[in-house]
Amino acid sequence: RRVHGGVAFLEGGMAKGNNSAYNFRYLMVGTIVSLTLIWTHNMGELPIETGSEPTVTGSGSGLVRNTTHRNRGDEITALILNWRTPLTLANTLKSYKKYGLFEYMKETVIFFQEITAEQEKKAKANHPKIRTIGDKGNVNIHWGIEFLVGNATTEYVLFLEKDWELIESPEVLSEQVDAAIEIIEAGIADVVRLRSRKNPGRDFYAKETYQGHEDSVWHVQENLMCNFYHWIDDFAWRFPDKASICWHNPQFFCVKARFCNWTNNPCVFKRSWWLKHMSKYARKTPEEMRTWGNFESELNSVVEAWNLSPWVVAMGQGLFTHHEIDG
């Protein structure tokens, strides 16, 4: 809770000629002030309504701020992970060209699993700010992310896989990514998701499993709760002790990692944050992982890796829909 200033009263505003009257009035004023302080103190325990400005506690400062929009594209690199599915990748890159992602970003780096010269040639033909890297084998998703982050030339990165189509205008792209950078910069969140809130696309496990009976998630996998914001409009009101509005103009919600799973969906984070805290998990071999040799499952099932971490995840309008053509 934040306490703003102190309380000042009864300075020169009450005559003391009649001691009993003075004492009575002093007692009444003191009682009213005390009750007011008790009431305002307890307000922090009330449900947080949509549109309010609650304190967000996490790894950062927890301050709610309004963003003054400015283009920060030269501070961020788009990272795209690809394995096979040439039609899907072509459709994705077409959408990025159409809506100005290549122009907005300082650079776009594509990592090809099982890389070929033909793949690189086709990808680079989309825009001069595209750079390609890769491996002749399949190094798995987590090592692919690690190579991409390690090759980024900026502190902020936008991670994408080959099947995330951009569906918003250049103006919305700039607004959402600029806000993501400022949210992280302000210490409010560590990861900002950018999957489209109202048009998330197919293969959405949380929605397919829990829509309409959300409360059953607490007995199964509580860190899927944050995904409910895709279909629950009054998200912060529905889960007042777990979610809050943490940014305005544009609006973003914040949720602690305990209630918000790591996902390979589109997201913005700091390169330095990844290298310091996440690389130790990304650099494991599948044999070293405790959960199915899968990066998402490893982070979400091994509690010290993600669920018990101090990280905070922010989610807004979003930009990308899942669209796989030849997967």
Side-chain angles (χ1 to χ4, degrees):
R1 300 182 182 88
R2 290 170 289 181
V3 179
H4 302 282
V7 178
F9 59 97
L10 294 175
E11 294 185 4
M14 185 174 289
K16 298 184 180 181
N18 185 333
N19 287 336
S20 62
Y22 171 80
N23 291 337
F24 175 77
R25 279 177 284 178
Y26 185 91
L27 178 62
M28 290 300 294
V29 171
T31 302
I32 292 170
V33 170
S34 297
L35 290 173
T36 300
L37 289 173
I38 291 171
W39 179 76
T40 55
H41 175 77
N42 289 333
M43 280 181 68
E45 304 298 328
L46 296 176
I48 301 169
E49 292 186 340
T50 300
S52 66
E53 297 187 357
T55 299
V56 181
T57 57
S59 63
S61 66
L63 297 177
V64 180
R65 306 180 184 182
N66 293 330
T67 175
T68 301
H69 180 64
R70 61 189 177 95
N71 191 314
R72 303 191 64 172
D74 61 346
E75 302 175 52
I76 188 166
T77 302
L79 308 176
I80 305 173
L81 181 61
N82 182 78
W83 183 48
R84 299 178 178 176
T85 62
L87 297 180
T88 297
L89 178 62
N91 177 70
T92 295
L93 297 181
K94 181 180 178 181
S95 73
Y96 295 172
K97 184 176 182 179
K98 177 180 179 181
Y99 292 118
L101 183 141
F102 299 134
E103 283 296 330
Y104 170 80
M105 297 287 165
K106 180 178 181 180
E107 185 179 35
T108 296
V109 182
I110 305 175
F111 183 90
F112 286 99
Q113 313 265 24
E114 301 176 359
I115 191 169
T116 67
E118 184 64 20
Q119 287 176 321
E120 292 187 275
K121 181 180 178 181
K122 287 183 178 180
K124 290 178 179 178
N126 285 275
H127 200 275
K129 290 168 72 174
I130 292 176
R131 178 160 58 98
T132 58
I133 59 175
D135 192 276
K136 292 182 179 180
N138 182 352
V139 298
N140 210 314
I141 290 176
H142 49 98
W143 268 104
I145 300 174
E146 184 72 6
F147 282 125
L148 282 166
V149 174
N151 277 273
T153 56
T154 57
E155 170 67 336
Y156 293 97
V157 298
L158 165 61
F159 173 68
L160 300 157
E161 287 191 89
K162 50 48 182 321
D163 47 7
W164 289 103
E165 181 181 338
L166 178 59
I167 58 173
E168 299 291 349
S169 69
E171 292 75 22
V172 176
L173 167 69
S174 176
E175 176 191 69
Q176 290 287 299
V177 178
D178 288 357
I181 292 174
E182 296 195 13
I183 288 168
I184 297 172
E185 185 177 65
I188 292 171
D190 305 282
V191 177
V192 181
R193 291 187 181 186
L194 290 176
R195 185 174 190 168
S196 174
R197 184 179 188 187
K198 296 302 181 181
N199 190 11
R202 301 182 60 183
D203 301 321
F204 197 171
Y205 172 79
K207 186 174 184 179
E208 295 164 358
T209 307
Y210 293 105
Q211 187 173 22
H213 45 93
E214 290 80 10
D215 288 335
S216 62
V217 77
W218 311 125
H219 308 294
V220 183
Q221 189 180 344
E222 65 181 7
N223 69 2
L224 292 177
M225 184 278 294
C226 67
N227 296 282
F228 300 169
Y229 102 110
H230 284 277
W231 64 88
I232 295 179
D233 291 332
D234 295 331
F235 182 62
W237 175 256
R238 176 73 179 272
F239 305 103
D241 58 335
K242 299 176 179 66
S244 60
I245 296 172
C246 59
W247 194 264
H248 292 280
N249 189 31
Q251 186 183 84
F252 281 80
F253 297 94
C254 280
V255 181
K256 289 184 178 180
R258 175 182 172 183
F259 303 107
C260 199
N261 60 308
W262 167 265
T263 174
N264 296 333
N265 287 187
C267 58
V268 174
F269 51 84
K270 279 186 174 182
R271 179 179 184 271
S272 58
W273 171 83
W274 178 275
L275 295 176
K276 182 177 181 179
H277 301 289
M278 308 304 290
S279 284
K280 59 186 174 183
Y281 301 109
R283 288 176 173 268
K284 290 183 177 181
T285 65
E287 293 74 25
E288 292 174 324
M289 292 182 174
R290 284 182 272 177
T291 311
W292 309 311
N294 179 287
F295 188 52
E296 284 185 327
S297 298
E298 176 80 1
L299 290 184
N300 292 318
S301 300
V302 180
V303 292
E304 66 272 19
W306 184 260
N307 296 339
L308 295 184
S309 72
W311 315 134
V312 173
V313 180
M315 306 167 294
Q317 173 186 340
L319 297 166
F320 302 93
T321 189
H322 187 239
H323 185 194
E324 191 165 34
I325 298 173
D326 52 348

